[in-house]
Amino acid sequence: MDITQFPSWQQLNSLTEKMHDRHLRELFAEDPQRAARFSLELPEFLLDYSKNLIDDEVFVNLLQLARDADLEGWRRRMFAGESVNCTEGRPVLHAALRGGLPGPVSVGGVSADALVEGELSRLKEFVNLLHNGALTGCTGKRITDVVNLGVGGSHLGPEMVIEALRAHRCQEVQLHFVSNVDGAQLADILAQLDMESTLFVVSSKTFTTSETMTNARSALNWFGGLAPQAELLRQHFVAVTASPEKARAFGIEPQRVFQFWDWVGGRFSLWSAIGLPIAIAIGFEGFRALLDGAASMDRHFQQAPLEKNAPVLMALVSLWYCTFMGYPAHAILPYEQALHMLPAYLQQAEMESNGKSTTRAGEEAGYATGPLIWGMLGINGQHAFYQYLHQSPQVVPADFIGSVTPGHQLPGHHEILLANMFAQSQALMNGVSREQVETDLAVRGLGAEEVDRLAPYKVHRGNRPSNTILLRKLDPHSLGALIALYEHKIFAQGVILQIYSFDQWGVELGKGLAAALQPQLESGDSHNQDASTAGLIDYYQRVTAGSAALDFAG
Ligand SMILES: O=P(O)(O)OC[C@H]1O[C@](O)(CO)[C@@H](O)[C@@H]1O
């Protein structure tokens, strides 16, 4: 049944007017237990969702909506390996990569656990060889630098995690990431490297992504005549892919091809062999701890009742804002330097999953299915875009994410950092009333006219909602749990809003057009293009012809 037909949906719709008129200040004043009632403590973190514009009536209806949408049934089917990615005809089993399934699941007659464990032990062996210095380049030099060539899900997860776990890094090997087909990125990194001690990891689920394959070919060319190509590929390249035959066709040795499977979505793949750079950076045991943390969130998501289920609660709050209250964006604001890539990672995870408008029934949704995700390190954002968060007429709900334990030894810093994080969510919630502003200005000795002139600019309406996720400490286990929290939040939101979260048809159109346009840029033939695109091609042609003429003249 269409989700909009359920009484819970209609009830929620009718509650938006009332909630637009409520203020978070009042909700807290009315209920001294609010913070305790609307927060949840898990072994890894505290989730405080009390600063959200929900009251008991909204909460009850949101939970009912989740039940009406059969979230529990979809959850069970996903973890049982049923084909819940229906447009691609696949199960969704990233939880199998971390031992998060409730029981054995086989895909195409093969045990998912056996596949996963087999690949993990290959990864472990490889990482150990690398760390022991047993892996050498074609001239016999020890491998000291590893460059991951991959984009999207084949890049963001590994780099985000490695950055987040800097404090846990082994020193043996340096990691580098190249995701952009803009040669400036690869050229810059190659300039820092010694080819004799460099290993490239070509990471691509499909092994067809043009950015990655172009970078892989350029990396191979970089070696020039150092050794015959087959030897270069053998000693300096490994592949991580769900299309091993394509990696082998590229020339990568079969024993250097690490595999994952089409039941792992690219943006959910960091737990698979795509996490090879993570295991290299923090060691295999650290990688295992990351997987274990995610598995503990898998169990929580499967077992906790909906009203005590962190991913479900976050999904409900998120859809309440984007679908009902009309707040189209959501900010991710980490207060932990190490989490600086989390907003970018979650942008892909959430927007590639839920940025859809066709329902599972193949109909136009007619409602917002997910927010625009954006953000950056909160403390830097405070000095950049928080003005907008505090005083723009647009309300942007936010997630504040921090850690009780600092990731460094410097005294005095961490309290300042956390005080800022707590203060910002408090300021967004409470704001400052006109009355308060007037009193403050008067106390500072301003005359009545001046007070009157300045007061409107200083008023903060407040009532801007947020979640706070406060980790005990940031380590591989808790990071795994945090990432899986968001993964399941995304899934729960998609299920309730009746969309398919695990496909990404929207990214295909542009890829196809780029492939067709590339030869036209070179030839200048733009006859079949719209006027704007033809104009761009024409300008490109004129500038390149002009610079060629200049080169010739010079
Ligand atoms: O791993 P691949 O196949 O190179 O794809 C990279 C990324 O490209 C996308 O298909 C989007 O273009 C993502 O879903 C994926 O993570």
Side-chain angles (χ1 to χ4, degrees):
M1 180 163 140
D2 177 349
I3 191 71
T4 65
Q5 300 306 310
F6 282 98
S8 54
W9 180 284
Q10 285 148 17
Q11 194 61 27
L12 285 165
N13 245 339
S14 70
L15 288 169
T16 55
E17 207 180 327
K18 171 182 97 171
M19 292 314 291
H20 277 302
D21 289 340
R22 299 300 320 264
H23 198 290
L24 282 164
R25 278 195 305 257
E26 299 160 7
L27 296 174
F28 272 87
E30 284 164 13
D31 177 8
Q33 295 306 313
R34 183 175 174 86
R37 289 202 307 120
F38 291 116
S39 62
L40 188 67
E41 206 175 316
L42 297 186
E44 297 85 5
F45 58 78
L46 169 75
L47 167 63
D48 175 0
Y49 61 102
S50 62
K51 294 191 188 86
N52 281 300
L53 266 172
I54 52 172
D55 62 6
D56 286 334
E57 200 178 6
V58 172
F59 191 56
V60 164
N61 279 287
L62 284 170
L63 288 167
Q64 186 54 43
L65 186 72
R67 292 194 186 95
D68 292 340
D70 189 26
L71 174 58
E72 286 146 309
W74 280 93
R75 181 181 60 184
R76 185 179 38 71
R77 290 192 284 280
M78 177 173 78
F79 283 99
E82 288 183 33
S83 180
V84 295
N85 175 0
C86 296
T87 60
E88 295 180 318
R90 294 170 187 167
V92 173
L93 285 170
H94 44 273
L97 301 168
R98 53 218 189 192
L101 301 185
V105 163
S106 53
V107 191
V110 186
S111 152
D113 282 347
L115 289 173
V116 168
E117 280 309 319
E119 219 51 26
L120 277 175
S121 60
R122 294 186 63 221
L123 279 190
K124 181 177 180 178
E125 192 186 342
F126 183 79
V127 170
N128 286 342
L129 286 175
L130 191 57
H131 284 174
N132 296 339
L135 284 190
T136 56
C138 58
T139 59
K141 268 200 187 174
R142 177 181 178 163
I143 297 294
T144 56
D145 289 82
V146 173
V147 186
N148 189 78
L149 306 175
V151 69
S154 300
H155 155 237
L156 285 166
E159 190 172 9
M160 181 273 287
V161 169
I162 290 171
E163 288 295 304
L165 299 175
R166 270 183 168 274
H168 297 257
R169 262 156 101 154
C170 320
Q171 294 309 311
E172 284 89 352
V173 180
Q174 290 301 315
L175 267 300
H176 312 266
F177 288 86
V178 176
S179 57
N180 200 332
V181 75
D182 182 342
Q185 191 187 23
L186 180 61
D188 187 38
I189 287 177
L190 293 181
Q192 305 161 30
L193 299 173
D194 172 359
M195 60 179 73
E196 294 177 60
S197 55
T198 298
L199 178 82
F200 291 92
V201 179
V202 187
S203 285
S204 175
K205 180 175 173 183
T206 55
F207 229 74
T208 56
T209 302
S210 93
E211 292 91 327
T212 301
M213 299 322 297
T214 303
N215 282 327
R217 281 188 291 272
S218 294
L220 185 55
N221 289 338
W222 174 61
F223 287 95
L226 186 67
Q229 203 178 83
E231 186 158 353
L232 289 171
L233 282 161
R234 184 164 52 245
Q235 301 290 115
H236 292 271
F237 283 81
V238 306
V240 179
T241 183
S243 304
E245 67 298 336
K246 293 206 180 79
R248 289 193 292 268
F250 185 84
I252 296 176
E253 289 271 297
Q255 65 271 31
R256 291 286 183 93
V257 177
F258 298 98
Q259 196 181 343
F260 64 112
W261 306 273
D262 68 2
W263 37 265
V264 179
R267 53 192 173 276
F268 302 98
S269 64
L270 73 86
W271 323 101
S272 71
I274 287 288
L276 172 62
I278 303 174
I280 293 173
I282 64 169
F284 191 78
E285 290 318 310
F287 186 55
R288 274 275 190 203
L290 180 84
L291 302 185
D292 289 346
S296 77
M297 183 54 64
D298 292 332
R299 287 188 291 276
H300 167 75
F301 179 52
Q302 291 170 79
Q303 293 163 9
L306 298 187
E307 65 279 10
K308 295 271 174 228
N309 193 307
V312 174
L313 293 168
M314 287 184 64
L316 292 176
V317 165
S318 167
L319 71 86
W320 168 239
Y321 294 133
C322 80
T323 312
F324 292 94
M325 295 287 278
Y327 304 156
H330 192 105
I332 303 291
L333 306 171
Y335 278 71
E336 189 71 19
Q337 178 66 30
L339 291 176
H340 70 98
M341 280 192 66
L342 188 66
Y345 172 79
L346 290 179
Q347 243 166 13
Q348 187 202 12
E350 184 140 359
M351 292 167 80
E352 201 167 83
S353 299
N354 289 345
K356 316 264 166 82
S357 49
T358 307
T359 66
R360 292 197 301 263
E363 275 150 21
E364 189 66 31
Y367 47 80
T369 52
L372 180 153
I373 299 290
W374 64 290
M376 69 188 289
L377 283 177
I379 205 84
N380 294 348
Q382 285 179 209
H383 301 276
F385 57 76
Y386 273 37
Q387 165 63 39
Y388 187 102
L389 297 186
H390 286 288
Q391 283 189 314
S392 150
Q394 261 82 29
V395 173
V396 182
D399 290 355
F400 288 87
I401 304 161
S403 164
V404 172
T405 315
H408 60 84
Q409 308 279 324
L410 293 176
H413 287 247
H414 204 59
E415 293 71 21
I416 298 174
L417 182 70
L418 285 187
N420 271 278
M421 174 169 130
F422 298 174
Q424 290 296 332
S425 67
Q426 189 180 48
L428 288 167
M429 166 174 74
N430 288 331
V432 199
S433 66
R434 168 93 191 204
E435 214 179 11
Q436 232 175 305
V437 170
E438 286 178 359
T439 313
D440 291 349
L441 290 175
V443 167
R444 284 168 46 197
L446 272 73
E449 209 176 301
E450 200 55 359
V451 168
D452 219 36
R453 190 179 71 79
L454 283 178
Y457 301 102
K458 291 182 156 263
V459 170
H460 293 51
R461 280 194 294 113
N463 214 21
R464 282 133 207 269
S466 64
N467 295 309
T468 296
I469 300 170
L470 195 51
L471 299 164
R472 279 176 183 275
K473 65 174 186 199
L474 182 61
D475 61 14
H477 180 95
S478 67
L479 181 65
L482 179 71
I483 300 168
L485 164 73
Y486 276 98
E487 286 183 345
H488 294 319
K489 177 252 177 193
I490 290 163
F491 165 71
Q493 183 157 343
V495 164
I496 297 168
L497 296 175
Q498 298 189 325
I499 55 167
Y500 288 121
S501 296
F502 296 108
D503 59 21
Q504 57 284 316
W505 300 107
V507 299
E508 298 304 327
L509 176 62
K511 284 186 198 172
L513 292 178
L517 265 165
Q518 191 187 325
Q520 291 190 287
L521 267 177
E522 280 158 27
S523 69
D525 169 14
S526 59
H527 74 278
N528 59 343
Q529 296 295 346
D530 62 82
S532 168
T533 310
L536 295 171
I537 293 174
D538 179 53
Y539 183 73
Y540 172 83
Q541 279 286 324
R542 281 189 285 122
V543 173
T544 48
S547 50
L550 278 179
D551 284 353
F552 184 69

